[in-house]
Amino acid sequence: MAKMQYYVAASLDGFIADADDKMDWLLQFGYEAYEAHYNAFLAEVGALVMGSGTYQFILDEELQAWPYGDMPIWVLTSRELPTAEGANILFSSEAVEVVAARALAAAEGKNVWIVGGGNVAAQFAANNLLDELIVSVMPIVLGSGTPLLPIGGTPLSLTHTDTTQFDSGAIGLTYRVEGARSEV
C-alpha cells in the first residue's frame, strides 16, 4: 500500500526553521552527503502535498528548473499564488482528507510526500493520514523556531523502523505512525 510520508530535516531540538523562519542553518550541511538517500526516497514518490509557506520558500529560491518535474503537487492554501513554470501545481483549500485521497490516486501506487511545513504534516497526523515520519536529525541546536510536528496535546505514537547515519553527523530516523489510516 502506498504511504503518506513526512520526509524532513530538523535540528536536534526539533525545529525545521529558525526563529526568523529561515533555513540557512540547514544549508551549511550541504547536499552531497544526503543525495543518495533523498534520490532513493524521491524515486518512490508519485505526488506531493505542501503548504503555501513551503511552496513560497521553493519559489523564492529562484531555481533554474522546478525540482519535482511534472509530478502532481497539492499546495494547501486559501490565497492566490503564482504557478511555478513547468510545475503540475494544484492549489486547494479543501480538507486534508480530500487532498489525501486525490494525491494517493494521482500517485498511482507510489507514496505521497508531505513536504511541509510542520503544520501541514500535523493536520495529516491529526486525521490519522500520516503513515510514516522520516526525519534527518541535524547536529545543531537552534533553541527556537518552527516545530517539526506541532500536533497539539494529542501524543503521536511511533515505532522505529530504520536508522541511517550520515558522514556529516546527521542521523536519519524512520518511524511508522501507530494508528494511521488503513485506507483513504
Side-chain angles (χ1 to χ4, degrees), residues 27 36 48 112 143 178 182:
L27 302 178
L48 290 81
V112 175
E178 297 305 321
S182 57

Side-chain angles (χ1 to χ4, degrees), residues 38-53:
Y38 173 78
N39 288 340
F41 168 79
L42 195 57
E44 298 298 319
V45 171
L48 290 81
V49 177
M50 64 180 70
S52 60

Side-chain angles (χ1 to χ4, degrees), residues 100-173:
R102 291 183 179 166
L104 281 165
E108 298 178 337
K110 288 188 162 188
N111 298 324
V112 175
W113 178 14
I114 309 303
V115 182
N119 287 330
V120 169
Q123 289 176 51
F124 278 80
N127 288 282
N128 296 322
L129 296 170
L130 186 64
D131 298 308
E132 200 167 54
L133 171 62
I134 306 166
V135 60
S136 295
V137 179
M138 307 308 286
I140 189 169
V141 174
L142 297 178
S144 64
T146 304
L148 168 69
L149 193 58
I151 58 167
T154 305
L156 189 63
S157 296
L158 307 171
T159 299
H160 176 257
T161 60
D162 192 38
T163 300
T164 303
Q165 186 169 346
F166 297 102
D167 291 340
S168 66
I171 303 292
L173 300 170

Side-chain angles (χ1 to χ4, degrees), residues 8 10 13 18 23 32 44 52 60 69-70 74 81 98 129-130 150 153:
V8 65
D13 53 346
D18 66 19
M23 293 179 44
E32 294 76 28
E44 298 298 319
S52 60
D60 291 346
D70 63 353
W74 277 261
L81 294 165
V98 173
L129 296 170
L130 186 64

